[in-house]
Amino acid sequence: MKKLLSILFLLQICTLAFAQKPYWQQQTNYNIAVTLNDTLNTLTGVAQIEYSNNSPDTLHFIWIHLWPNAYKNDRTALSDQLLLIGSTDFYFAEENKKGYINRLNFTVDKATALTEDDEQHQDIVKLILPKALAPSQKILIETPFNVKLPYNFSRGGHVGQSYQITQWYPKPAVYDKDGWHPMPYLDQGEFYSEFGNFVVQITLPQNYVVAATGELQNDDEKVWLKQRNTENNIGVDFDKKTKKFTTPTSSTLTKTLLYKQNNVHDFAWFADKTFVVQTDTMQLQIGNVILVNSFALPQNKALYKNSIAYIKNAVKTKNNWVGTYPYNVVSVVDNAAPTGGGMEYPTITLLTAKTQHELEDVINHEVGHNWFYGILGSNERDYPWLDEGVNTYYDLRYNDEAAITKVTANKQNDFLSKRIPENIEKTLLQTIIYNKKDQPINTSSQNFTQTNYALVGYYKTACWLQQLEKKIGTATFDKAMQAYYEQWKFKHPSPANFRAAFEQASNTNLSENFDLLNKKGPLPTAQKRYTSKATFFNLQNTEVQKYISFAPAVGFNYYDKLMIGGLVHNYNLPPTKLQFIVAPLYATGTKKINGIGNFNYTMWQTKTGAKFIVSGTVAKFTGGSFTDSTNTKNPLQFSKVVPAIKYIFGNNNVQSTVTKYVQFKTYLIKETNILFERDIITSSNKITYPTAKRYVNELQVGIVNSRVLYPYKATFNGIQGDGFVRVALTTNYYFNYQKGGGLGVRLFAGKFIYTADKTFTNQFKTDPYHLNLTGPKGYEDYSYNNYFVGRSEFDGFSSQQIMNRDGFFKVRTDLLSNKIGKTDDWLVAVNFTTDFPKAINPLEVL
């Protein structure tokens, strides 16, 4: 029995040992020769990919990314996502601005290999291996290829003859312990690729300056670049024979440049005739000297004057905090495309900036990606926080510890700098959390909303890491990060590997901290908010302060004339459950105290964003006047009290652009009227100004889809008052034009119903509620919800204002003339509005 138990125990130990499989990853080595045609904006080339199967599995196929096909048409994942995040530029792009990859003819070890298209994505194919690839074996994949470069809508392409060549060659998908990771190209959501060694030959016209991943091997090109750097020339060429500079032209001569780089998972290159080149060296450790390059467009030469220093600071800080930079070159490139921020590639980054402060920030962030993305090759598509969030933590640390010069430091007395924090991200993050619109940190890139991708994936993760640093101490934090870096550089670390490094370094169970990665809501804090006062508004320190703000206020209408007063409110970011605004105003024309006030209170809110809001509005102004026989102007004032409740439906899909709501309001209105009486005893006329009361109940049900392509909304209104019911449906649909702008179609259908006898008196009394084919005027604004300069005027400039309600035909209606199409029965109307094409719209300059 003992022997049997011993055997079973031994088998169990062997089973456990076998279960703990050693880490492995595939290897992809590239040898690519490519030629740029700057007339056709194309690349032609041949790719050789040595694929090593280091997995324990036999492979019968390999998924291949053909990411240039993301720009092929409007049926790609990229096109869909660009629409989702609010851009129609690519969707409506002209055919010559789109791109693709073709002329592929795969062979494997010289044998023809077939491909199968992915069922869903045009930029992924399955390469069927002619012969199964066993573990520890390698194959040589070869194919010619042709790329039609798109206009740079996302990260790569061209702007005129300035080229941003990224994700441009056939690339095998990652195969790891979780299987294959084929993924379509996306704008929001980066990449996951195998490490390998690159040898790339680039042939292009001689007058281009090239910036690329890795080390340039051409000595004569190095001399040319160094000469441009020394002479500080802009937009010139260096003749290698005469050793003189000449003006660049469309060169018929070509050159072939060779770049090499080991241990990277991507290769990008950029070409422009006019790059201003700055080059220097930097010693990290004894014997470790790296080349530092900056490539700027001529118009940004002054902006980039300190770029080399910024690059060095970025490398030095990450080198000290995280680990040694392992490559021999680091470069930044000015982006000719109108896209903001930057995009990182191994040893090189493409970026845009408008100020020195912004340039330093973006260089620090993008150069930092050489560690978190370049060297630590995590799956950015599934775990963007492991790249963007960790890198942003070091941005915040750089700002705090590296003592960078901030532009705002010299503007301490500036109005906005006192009220808007530098890290406005914190305020915006608190706001989306309050509105239940946030998502957990551990959300994949494609499932984030655009707002959450930035505020949660980047900023909240950085704040979470700051809390982790505070818990275990800075020294232990650095020790953990450095151990993580050393263990996982040139590999594919996961969140579990990240956590293990920190728990081991701190000798602490960090479940409480890491569990927060999968939760919505604010990070735990002991801070309590207290009330403070502010002038105008204040967004500083709103995590601990609730401001009540005071400001001057002015108003104007035809009867009250200029109104002067004050404004008191607590509208801040993030908002509070109770929000209010009060604005008392003294009217210089009528000598009356007027004003408006509003409050709304969110009684409860669900995790899906559903809200129940109770609100109230009060207002008092002058809506008309009557001049009597003594030439005395008598103001006709109105006041209203409007209690309301509103329910906003939640949405399980946080990326949805649809909002649905139900709202009920009661308008309690007092109005000063004019009463003409005849005294038969004295045979004189008497004018009095009695106050009349009325009410209106309003039920509104609405749906709004704010998508960027063909947005729409529909609103049902039911109005009930003394002696009538009025129901109406208004729908709006917007048809986008290909070249900007669009056609708006509005449909209105309404019915007026008498609940009492239809008499002349009731017709006159309910006249303001009747349906209008033309836009209603001020006296027909039965709820006093719209601002009118001259609410009761019938002639002159002040009488020409109308409301967007009912039929909304813009037809002039003069004094005492019958309004066209006014009815107390039913009305159906269709409106069409169109934008001017941007090319001929003079208001585009605004």
Side-chain angles (χ1 to χ4, degrees):
M1 185 67 179
K2 286 184 178 180
K3 186 176 181 180
L4 179 60
L5 290 175
S6 298
I7 292 173
L8 291 174
F9 179 74
L10 181 61
L11 288 173
Q12 186 177 17
I13 293 297
C14 292
T15 301
L16 288 172
F18 182 78
Q20 296 173 355
K21 297 179 181 179
Y23 175 84
W24 55 268
Q25 69 185 45
Q26 310 292 63
Q27 174 92 0
T28 53
N29 297 330
Y30 294 85
N31 193 323
I32 305 175
V34 65
T35 299
L36 169 68
N37 185 321
D38 68 346
T39 301
L40 300 176
N41 297 317
T42 61
L43 302 175
T44 56
V46 176
Q48 295 180 331
I49 308 169
E50 183 187 70
Y51 188 93
S52 298
N53 182 14
N54 299 321
S55 79
D57 307 316
T58 297
L59 302 181
H60 298 276
F61 61 86
I62 296 174
W63 285 106
I64 303 289
H65 292 134
L66 303 177
W67 281 328
N69 277 344
Y71 299 91
K72 191 173 183 179
N73 51 47
D74 60 11
R75 298 183 299 279
T76 66
L78 171 65
S79 179
D80 292 343
Q81 190 189 67
L82 288 173
L83 291 177
L84 185 64
I85 63 180
S87 173
T88 60
D89 290 348
F90 175 72
Y91 185 85
F92 286 121
E94 297 173 357
E95 198 63 29
N96 64 354
K97 287 190 173 183
K98 295 180 179 179
Y100 50 80
I101 184 170
N102 63 5
R103 301 179 191 170
L104 297 160
N105 185 17
F106 285 99
T107 63
V108 175
D109 292 335
K110 304 302 181 180
T112 299
L114 301 178
T115 60
E116 294 180 1
D117 293 338
D118 181 73
E119 293 182 357
Q120 185 177 3
H121 301 296
Q122 302 176 54
D123 52 354
I124 305 172
V125 296
K126 180 189 287 186
L127 179 66
I128 308 300
L129 301 180
K131 181 180 177 182
L133 180 59
S136 302
Q137 299 298 308
K138 64 178 65 174
I139 55 175
L140 181 64
I141 303 169
E142 297 178 276
T143 184
F145 64 91
N146 175 76
V147 176
K148 165 65 172 61
L149 295 168
Y151 175 82
N152 193 332
F153 294 101
S154 179
R155 298 180 181 88
H158 73 98
V159 178
Q161 289 189 324
S162 186
Y163 294 92
Q164 304 82 42
I165 313 300
T166 64
Q167 311 302 344
W168 53 283
Y169 53 90
K171 180 188 290 188
V174 171
Y175 183 71
D176 61 17
K177 63 181 179 61
D178 297 318
W180 285 105
H181 295 270
M183 57 184 67
Y185 182 99
L186 295 176
D187 183 74
Q188 178 181 292
E190 295 173 7
F191 309 105
Y192 187 35
S193 305
E194 301 286 14
F195 280 92
N197 304 324
F198 282 79
V199 177
V200 179
Q201 296 182 74
I202 302 170
T203 301
L204 75 172
Q206 195 175 52
N207 52 352
Y208 277 90
V209 179
V210 174
T213 292
E215 298 179 61
L216 175 64
Q217 304 296 306
N218 306 65
D219 291 336
D220 54 350
E221 189 75 8
K222 292 178 183 178
V223 171
W224 184 53
L225 294 176
K226 185 177 180 180
Q227 186 68 31
R228 289 175 68 98
N229 179 38
T230 304
E231 300 294 332
N232 205 19
N233 283 271
I234 300 176
V236 293
D237 280 319
F238 181 65
D239 189 307
K240 297 169 185 175
K241 293 182 178 179
T242 63
K243 306 298 182 184
K244 294 181 180 179
F245 284 91
T246 59
T247 303
T249 59
S250 297
S251 177
T252 57
L253 300 177
T254 63
K255 60 184 176 183
T256 298
L257 306 178
L258 178 63
Y259 290 87
K260 294 182 179 180
Q261 185 59 62
N262 292 342
N263 278 335
V264 293
H265 52 65
D266 204 355
F267 189 100
W269 57 281
F270 312 94
D272 193 288
K273 300 174 187 177
T274 64
F275 276 144
V276 180
V277 184
Q278 296 183 68
T279 301
D280 202 354
T281 58
M282 176 183 184
Q283 181 167 319
L284 298 179
Q285 285 86 22
I286 296 175
N288 184 10
V289 177
I290 66 172
L291 187 65
V292 181
N293 300 318
S294 167
F295 299 82
L297 296 169
Q299 61 268 30
N300 295 326
K301 175 184 174 182
L303 177 64
Y304 275 73
K305 64 181 179 181
N306 298 321
S307 57
I308 293 292
Y310 297 156
I311 299 170
K312 289 183 177 181
N313 285 344
V315 172
K316 181 174 67 176
T317 52
K318 258 62 74 181
N319 205 68
N320 293 339
W321 292 332
V322 182
T324 303
Y325 185 73
Y327 306 122
N328 295 327
V329 62
V330 59
S331 305
V332 301
V333 182
D334 192 6
N335 191 359
T339 53
M343 181 59 205
E344 67 279 359
Y345 303 92
T347 78
I348 196 167
T349 182
L350 185 68
L351 52 88
T352 49
K354 296 181 180 179
T355 66
Q356 285 290 319
H357 186 198
E358 186 179 340
L359 181 66
E360 182 168 14
D361 280 350
V362 73
I363 284 178
N364 176 66
H365 181 82
E366 300 305 331
V367 169
H369 275 302
N370 279 286
W371 281 260
F372 304 102
Y373 161 82
I375 302 164
L376 294 164
S378 56
N379 185 342
E380 294 182 277
R381 187 67 61 88
D382 289 348
Y383 308 109
W385 71 268
L386 203 52
D387 164 55
E388 299 292 358
V390 176
N391 198 32
T392 302
Y393 159 81
Y394 284 104
D395 292 345
L396 300 182
R397 188 162 171 178
Y398 181 90
N399 290 345
D400 291 338
E401 298 188 27
I404 66 170
T405 302
K406 296 182 174 65
V407 174
T408 54
N410 297 321
K411 296 183 179 181
Q412 292 302 311
N413 295 322
D414 182 77
F415 176 83
L416 291 178
S417 67
K418 288 183 176 181
R419 292 166 173 80
I420 299 179
E422 283 190 55
N423 59 335
I424 190 65
E425 295 91 347
K426 179 186 291 185
T427 304
L428 298 176
L429 176 62
Q430 293 166 345
T431 301
I432 64 170
I433 289 174
Y434 171 84
N435 288 319
K436 309 296 184 184
K437 298 294 185 182
D438 64 312
Q439 295 169 272
I441 291 173
N442 200 25
T443 299
S444 63
S445 298
Q446 64 269 30
N447 290 329
F448 265 130
T449 65
Q450 187 179 27
T451 300
N452 280 316
Y453 185 70
L455 295 179
V456 175
Y458 286 65
Y459 184 74
K460 186 181 179 182
T461 306
C463 296
W464 172 78
L465 285 167
Q466 286 181 326
Q467 288 193 355
L468 183 60
E469 177 195 1
K470 186 176 181 180
K471 179 174 182 176
I472 65 177
T474 301
T476 302
F477 185 95
D478 288 346
K479 177 184 175 182
M481 189 65 77
Q482 290 160 9
Y484 170 68
Y485 175 79
E486 285 300 321
Q487 181 179 359
W488 291 101
K489 61 184 178 183
F490 311 127
K491 297 179 182 178
H492 299 311
S494 67
N497 304 134
F498 185 85
R499 174 176 176 171
F502 278 81
E503 290 191 330
Q504 185 175 352
S506 64
N507 194 27
T508 304
N509 185 326
L510 298 174
S511 296
E512 184 179 356
N513 295 83
F514 278 85
D515 287 349
L516 295 173
L517 295 175
N518 297 305
K519 296 180 179 179
K520 297 174 60 174
L523 295 172
T525 176
Q527 293 177 311
K528 294 183 178 180
R529 298 180 72 186
Y530 56 92
T531 303
S532 300
K533 63 181 179 180
T535 55
F536 293 96
F537 71 96
N538 199 330
L539 300 180
Q540 297 275 12
N541 303 315
T542 53
E543 69 274 15
V544 294
Q545 298 193 63
K546 296 183 289 186
Y547 292 102
I548 296 178
S549 299
F550 300 84
V554 295
F556 177 85
N557 67 47
Y558 187 79
Y559 315 104
D560 289 310
K561 305 302 182 186
L562 179 66
M563 292 175 280
I564 303 172
L567 180 70
V568 183
H569 72 90
N570 75 335
Y571 278 79
N572 298 298
L573 296 177
T576 54
K577 283 190 173 184
L578 175 64
Q579 294 179 300
F580 67 86
I581 183 169
V582 179
L585 298 166
Y586 174 74
T588 59
T590 58
K591 314 302 182 189
K592 302 286 185 179
I593 300 296
N594 294 331
I596 190 169
N598 173 267
F599 84 91
N600 64 76
Y601 180 75
T602 302
M603 294 188 66
W604 53 263
Q605 190 170 10
T606 68
K607 292 182 179 180
T608 62
K611 294 182 183 180
F612 186 77
I613 302 170
V614 176
S615 64
T617 300
V618 295
K620 178 176 176 291
F621 292 98
T622 302
S625 64
F626 177 75
T627 303
D628 61 21
S629 58
T630 64
N631 206 32
T632 301
K633 275 192 174 182
N634 297 276
L636 305 177
Q637 289 202 300
F638 71 87
S639 64
K640 69 175 183 177
V641 177
V642 187
I645 56 174
K646 184 175 185 179
Y647 180 76
I648 301 174
F649 291 87
N651 203 319
N652 290 322
N653 179 9
V654 72
Q655 291 183 311
S656 174
T657 54
V658 176
T659 301
K660 294 177 285 187
Y661 65 90
V662 176
Q663 178 177 269
F664 182 81
K665 292 182 177 181
T666 294
Y667 295 87
L668 304 173
I669 298 171
K670 291 183 179 180
E671 297 163 311
T672 303
N673 292 332
I674 308 172
L675 180 61
F676 297 92
E677 295 178 309
R678 178 71 176 176
D679 191 330
I680 58 175
I681 299 176
T682 61
S683 299
S684 62
N685 294 323
K686 183 180 180 182
I687 304 174
T688 58
Y689 303 93
T691 299
K693 297 180 181 180
R694 62 182 174 89
Y695 75 93
V696 178
N697 293 319
E698 179 186 63
L699 173 67
Q700 186 176 100
V701 180
I703 180 171
V704 179
N705 191 333
S706 58
R707 62 192 183 188
V708 68
L709 186 67
Y710 309 132
Y712 66 85
K713 64 178 179 179
T715 306
F716 169 81
N717 274 78
I719 306 294
Q720 181 270 325
D722 186 15
F724 76 94
V725 170
R726 167 194 160 113
V727 293
L729 176 67
T730 306
T731 62
N732 296 80
Y733 201 93
Y734 188 79
F735 294 89
N736 303 73
Y737 291 151
Q738 182 174 354
K739 295 185 177 181
L743 173 70
V745 179
R746 177 180 179 272
L747 171 65
F748 173 84
K751 173 67 175 174
F752 188 88
I753 304 168
Y754 288 99
T755 57
D757 292 336
K758 182 179 177 180
T759 63
F760 176 79
T761 301
N762 283 338
Q763 282 183 297
F764 178 79
K765 186 174 66 173
T766 59
D767 180 79
Y769 307 96
H770 292 172
L771 301 167
N772 283 275
L773 184 62
T774 58
K777 301 180 68 124
Y779 72 92
E780 296 165 309
D781 180 16
Y782 51 78
S783 61
Y784 291 102
N785 277 343
N786 296 271
Y787 168 76
F788 279 87
V789 175
R791 184 175 292 274
S792 299
E793 297 305 296
F794 288 90
D795 58 6
F797 176 79
S798 298
S799 70
Q800 297 306 306
Q801 189 177 352
I802 61 175
M803 286 187 291
N804 184 353
R805 199 187 81 194
D806 299 357
F808 196 47
F809 281 23
K810 298 179 182 179
V811 179
R812 181 184 178 115
T813 56
D814 293 319
L815 178 63
L816 299 182
S817 65
N818 292 324
K819 294 193 70 176
I820 298 174
K822 187 165 185 176
T823 177
D824 59 356
D825 193 357
W826 59 269
L827 176 70
V828 176
V830 179
N831 306 104
F832 298 92
T833 58
T834 183
D835 298 308
F836 279 107
K838 290 184 177 181
I840 62 172
N841 185 0
L843 297 180
E844 275 295 309
V845 296
L846 301 180

